[in-house]
Amino acid sequence: MSESDISPVKSCPDCGETKSVAEFGLNKRMPDGRARYCKPCFGARSMASYRKRMAAQGKQVRERPDVPDGFKYCPRCEEAKSVAEFGRNRAEKSGLTAYCKPCHNVAMAENKAKNHGSVRSFMLKRRYGLTAEQVDEMCEQQGGICLICLRSPAAHVDHDHETGLVRGLLCFSCNGALGQFDDEAWRLRLAADYLEGGLSHSRLLELELGESALDGFTGRAERTRSKKAGTSRHYRLRQRYGINGADEQAMIAVQRGLCAICSNAKAEHVDHDHETGRVRGVLCPECNSGMGQLKDDPATLRRAADYLSGALVRTRPTADGGTRLSFTIPDVDPAAVTLDAWEMYRAKDGRTRKGILELRENMVFLPYWSVEFAATYPHAPAYS
C-alpha cells in the first residue's frame, strides 16, 4: 500500500479522537489549512458561545433535540418531523423550508397580515392592485348586490383580462359566466335572443323539422320511445331529454354542426328548457355552461352584455354634490335597496332594457363608471 492511499489524520483536542482531516472544517489561518476542532465539536463550541451571548442580552435559546436521519426539527411547533412534512426552499442549505408545512402556512399568513393588513388585502393587491378597504367601498357603492344578476351578493372582483382594469364586483356565477362567454358581449346578446326564440335557428328548426323546439317525451321522441336504444347515448338522451340519437343528429345537421348560439364551436351539448323540458338546440360547452350560470335568463344575459360594453353602470349626481352608481332602468339608488328587495327592480330593468335594444345598437358605449348617461345622450328616453 502506497503512502498516497493512506488518508491524513488529525487529533481533536476536545473529544480526544483521531479522525480523518475530512472531519475538520477549512481554516486558512491554521498551518494545515484545517480547523483545530472536528466538525461536531466545533458546532458544540459555536452553540455554547451563541447561548452565552444571548444570555448576556437576557434572551434564552431553546434546546434543539437530536434529530434522526430523514427528519427535521421545526422551531415553531418544536417537533422533529419527517422531511416530507416540509416544503421546498432552494435558498436554504437543506433545500427545505425552516418550518413544517402547517407552521409555514401560519407564518406566511401572519406576515401578510402584518405587512398588508390581512391575507385578503395581500391577494387583492397582488391580483388587482386594490386594498380590502377599496373593495369594501366598491361593494357599498353597489348596495352589496351583484351588478349583473341583481340576485346574489357581490363577492368577486371582476377585471378585464386584456387591460387589467377592474370593472366591478359580481357574484360567483356571473363572474364565471363572463369567462365562459370569453367576455364577448355579442355572444351574450345572441344567447338572450336564442332563449326567446329570436334567432334564425328557431326558424330553421321549424322549416326542417316541423317545430322550433323538440317537445321531448310529448313530441317527436314520443313516436320513437318504444324503439330499443342502439347505444348508451340513445338511452341517456331518451332518459334525460326524451329525444333519441336521430333527433339529436337532425338538430346538429340543421345547425351545420356548429353551436346554435355562437356558430364558432362544435355543437356537443343538448340544451333544454328546465321548466318545460323542450329541447332548444345543441350548443358548445362554453355557451351551454354560461347560460346555465346566468340561470337561462334573457334579462340577465342582456345586463351582462351591457356590463361588458360599458353601458350598464353609470354615475349620477347626488344632492350633496357627490356621485352615486346607477345600473338599473328605471334608475334607483343602490344604497337605498336591501339585498332581498332587488327582484322588483330586476324585473322592470329586464322589460325596459329589452324595449330599447334598437336605440342602444346605435350608441357608442362609454367606459365603465362613465359620465352622466343623460348628458351624453340628451335625446334618449328618461327612464328614471
Side-chain angles (χ1 to χ4, degrees):
M1 182 180 294
S2 63
E3 292 184 2
S4 60
D5 295 331
I6 302 175
S7 299
V9 295
K10 182 175 181 177
S11 178
C12 174
D14 264 12
C15 64
E17 296 182 13
T18 300
K19 302 179 179 180
S20 169
V21 292
E23 296 293 326
F24 294 76
L26 299 175
N27 188 339
K28 295 181 179 180
R29 292 178 297 177
M30 298 297 290
D32 59 355
R34 294 284 177 171
R36 181 186 300 275
Y37 307 101
C38 65
K39 293 178 180 178
C41 293
F42 182 83
R45 279 177 165 267
S46 296
M47 181 56 70
S49 176
Y50 174 73
R51 287 198 183 96
K52 184 177 180 180
R53 292 197 307 273
M54 292 298 102
Q57 300 174 19
K59 299 179 182 179
Q60 184 178 4
V61 180
R62 291 176 292 186
E63 294 286 342
R64 290 198 178 191
D66 292 333
V67 179
D69 292 340
F71 285 74
K72 179 178 171 63
Y73 179 76
C74 174
R76 190 178 180 93
C77 61
E78 300 182 357
E79 294 182 19
K81 298 182 177 181
S82 169
V83 293
E85 298 187 49
F86 291 77
R88 295 184 178 181
N89 186 352
R90 290 185 295 179
E92 294 288 336
K93 184 178 180 180
S94 64
L96 302 172
T97 54
Y99 303 137
C100 63
K101 292 177 181 178
C103 292
H104 179 81
N105 293 337
V106 173
M108 292 299 100
E110 291 175 351
N111 288 339
K112 291 171 184 176
K114 178 182 177 181
N115 298 327
H116 303 279
S118 67
V119 176
R120 178 170 175 251
S121 283
F122 170 78
M123 297 303 297
L124 289 170
K125 286 181 182 179
R126 182 178 182 182
R127 297 191 66 178
Y128 309 111
L130 298 174
T131 64
E133 291 74 18
Q134 290 173 315
V135 173
D136 291 340
E137 182 180 354
M138 290 176 61
C139 187
E140 183 179 353
Q141 290 177 335
Q142 294 180 200
I145 199 72
C146 171
L147 286 172
I148 292 178
C149 69
L150 302 179
R151 286 190 179 98
S152 303
H156 292 263
V157 177
D158 170 59
H159 71 294
D160 188 317
H161 292 268
E162 292 186 0
T163 65
L165 296 176
V166 173
R167 295 183 290 212
L169 301 183
L170 307 177
C171 66
F172 176 82
S173 295
C174 290
N175 192 38
L178 296 186
Q180 293 291 342
F181 282 106
D182 292 330
D183 283 4
E184 294 175 329
W186 64 268
R187 285 178 65 184
L188 288 156
R189 293 195 177 95
L190 286 178
D193 292 339
Y194 165 82
L195 289 172
E196 295 175 336
L199 293 184
S200 59
H201 164 76
S202 299
R203 180 59 178 161
L204 286 173
L205 287 182
E206 189 171 357
L207 291 174
E208 296 292 334
L209 305 181
E211 46 194 330
S212 59
L214 302 188
D215 288 331
F217 288 111
T218 60
R220 287 171 50 87
E222 185 67 27
R223 299 190 293 271
T224 58
R225 281 179 64 192
S226 60
K227 295 182 179 181
K228 183 178 179 181
T231 64
S232 60
R233 179 159 184 79
H234 280 266
Y235 176 78
R236 289 195 299 271
L237 289 170
R238 194 168 63 189
Q239 290 294 316
R240 187 168 185 180
Y241 307 111
I243 66 174
N244 58 25
D247 294 322
E248 179 192 34
Q249 291 305 313
M251 297 188 80
I252 292 177
V254 172
Q255 299 172 197
R256 299 180 180 272
L258 299 175
C259 172
I261 292 178
C262 68
S263 298
N264 278 345
K266 184 179 179 181
E268 299 180 29
H269 291 263
V270 174
D271 168 59
H272 73 295
D273 188 318
H274 292 270
E275 293 184 0
T276 66
R278 288 169 58 86
V279 175
R280 296 176 291 216
V282 186
L283 309 178
C284 65
E286 290 76 18
C287 286
N288 191 45
S289 298
M291 284 207 315
Q293 288 178 300
L294 295 179
K295 307 294 187 294
D296 283 6
D297 181 13
T300 304
L301 284 158
R302 289 194 177 98
R303 284 186 60 83
D306 287 348
Y307 171 79
L308 290 175
S309 301
L312 180 69
V313 183
R314 53 192 187 272
T315 58
R316 287 188 177 273
T318 58
D320 59 1
T323 59
R324 65 168 176 83
L325 293 186
S326 173
F327 44 84
T328 57
I329 306 173
D331 172 59
V332 62
D333 184 356
V337 184
T338 59
L339 286 176
D340 58 353
W342 278 99
E343 182 59 30
M344 175 181 67
Y345 301 102
R346 190 190 69 80
K348 288 182 179 179
D349 179 89
R351 292 192 297 268
T352 309
R353 202 168 293 276
K354 182 181 178 181
I356 60 172
L357 282 175
E358 184 176 348
L359 172 65
R360 193 187 306 113
E361 287 175 356
N362 298 322
M363 288 182 180
V364 178
F365 296 126
L366 297 174
Y368 174 69
W369 290 2
S370 56
V371 296
E372 177 63 31
F373 176 85
T376 307
Y377 300 104
H379 303 296
Y383 294 105
S384 57

